[in-house]
Amino acid sequence: MRILGIESSCDETACAVVEDGRKILSNVVNSQIEEHKIYGGVVPEIASRMHTEAIGAVCREALDKAGLTLDDIDALAVTYAPGLIGALLVGVNFAKSLGFAANKPLIPVHHIRGHIAANYLSFPQLAPPFICLVVSGGHTNIVEVLSYTDFKILARTRDDAAGEAFDKVARSLGFPYPGGIYIDKAAKLGREDAFRLPHPKVEGSPYDFSFSGLKTFVLNTVNHAKQKGQELNANDLAASFQKTVCDMLVSRLMQLTAQKGYRDVVVAGGVSANSGLREKLQSETKRLSLNLYIPPLSLCGDNAAMIASQGYYEYLAGNLADLSLNGCSSLPIEQSYICAQC
Ligand code: KG4
Ligand code: ZN
């Protein structure tokens, strides 16, 4: 079964063709980052307009690169939640129009379920159940993936997502948006024990995360140094911050993995590109003889191949939409789409 995936939840307009949920036939990502960089973050109105301008050509390119026409496509999968509402609506309405015109089934896909599915494209043998750390710009969760379409959140962030904390710390150090990758690069040149940073805990919820206190501590450290006219070693601060975040993520993931008795540990989302996180996960899972799955860098960030992959499993589970499909800015991963007509 060939599925055309469509993704426009934030600042990437993406279309891809995937066969049977596992094989990428094409994967086109049109990034808007250069436009948003000058504002230091994503401007929702600009994102929506740029998706509208790009989506037709991106879709055509995805079909061309796969060597297919719309007639060869069996269904359309589109990100409908969560994300920037104006941005989501561009993909949703494009998919609805295309589905109506070409008479193809329409599959609504949750963006974070898609990030997890990036691993199905990378590891043919991987199948649920497994435990998954989801670390993106908007989400930080430890999720039990019970089946392809059945999820249970075991831990969540109570405030900022990990990616958000990376981006805000990067901004305070003068790096461009999105700053996660610049912190990653700077950290390689710094000493991770140079700064003693807090490891915030959530009272009564030992596995939940809190990054805002850590972020504020780093921002205050930068501001105090500026006020006093002191030179601050950005590489050292980046390395210390990255180590603190990675320690928090990996230690809780390992504790929950042991508690639930999983052997397969999966990681998903943009922050899974972080080299410090990848190294720590590799060493810890090796020490504990666990199997680690992290997508290649090309599939860590937003793309539509992951949406088409998850779309395949949503289709098999009967999770289809009709033309009443709407975008939804926030939606728990546990909740499957409920069609208004069903
Ligand atoms: O999953 P994603 O592409 O978009 C969302 O769904 O949010 O994640 C984007 C986030 C940004 O915060 C970005 O700074 C972060 O992923 N990121 C990184 C790295 N590459 C991307 N964070 C740390 N280290 C990286 N190498
Ligand atoms: Zn994402």
Side-chain angles (χ1 to χ4, degrees), residues 6-15 28-34 36 42 47 50-51 54-55 58 79 84 87 111 115 177-178 301-304:
I6 298 164
E7 155 66 38
S8 70
S9 66
C10 190
D11 55 356
E12 260 96 30
T13 318
C15 292
V28 180
V29 181
N30 186 69
S31 176
Q32 306 176 354
I33 279 174
E34 287 307 314
H36 297 290
V42 177
M50 291 191 73
H51 284 309
I55 199 156
V58 170
T79 306
L84 301 170
H111 181 78
H115 271 300
Y177 174 85
D302 290 348
N303 65 85

Side-chain angles (χ1 to χ4, degrees), residues 9-12 111-112 115 135-139 162-167 177-185 242 268-275 297 300-302 306:
S9 66
C10 190
D11 55 356
E12 260 96 30
H111 181 78
I112 301 301
H115 271 300
V135 268
S136 74
H139 295 81
E164 210 176 333
F166 265 99
D167 293 343
Y177 174 85
I181 190 164
Y182 296 95
I183 295 283
D184 194 344
K185 284 182 183 158
Q242 180 171 294
V271 183
S272 59
N274 184 266
S275 59
L297 295 187
C300 287
D302 290 348
M306 68 186 198

Side-chain angles (χ1 to χ4, degrees), residues 166 169 173 175 182-195 197 218 233-247 274 276:
F166 265 99
V169 164
L173 291 174
F175 295 122
Y182 296 95
I183 295 283
D184 194 344
K185 284 182 183 158
K188 288 197 175 101
L189 308 171
R191 276 179 38 228
E192 54 184 32
D193 60 352
F195 288 85
L197 302 178
V218 175
N233 187 321
N235 295 338
D236 282 351
L237 190 53
S240 304
F241 167 75
Q242 180 171 294
K243 181 191 184 306
T244 308
V245 173
C246 294
D247 283 352
N274 184 266

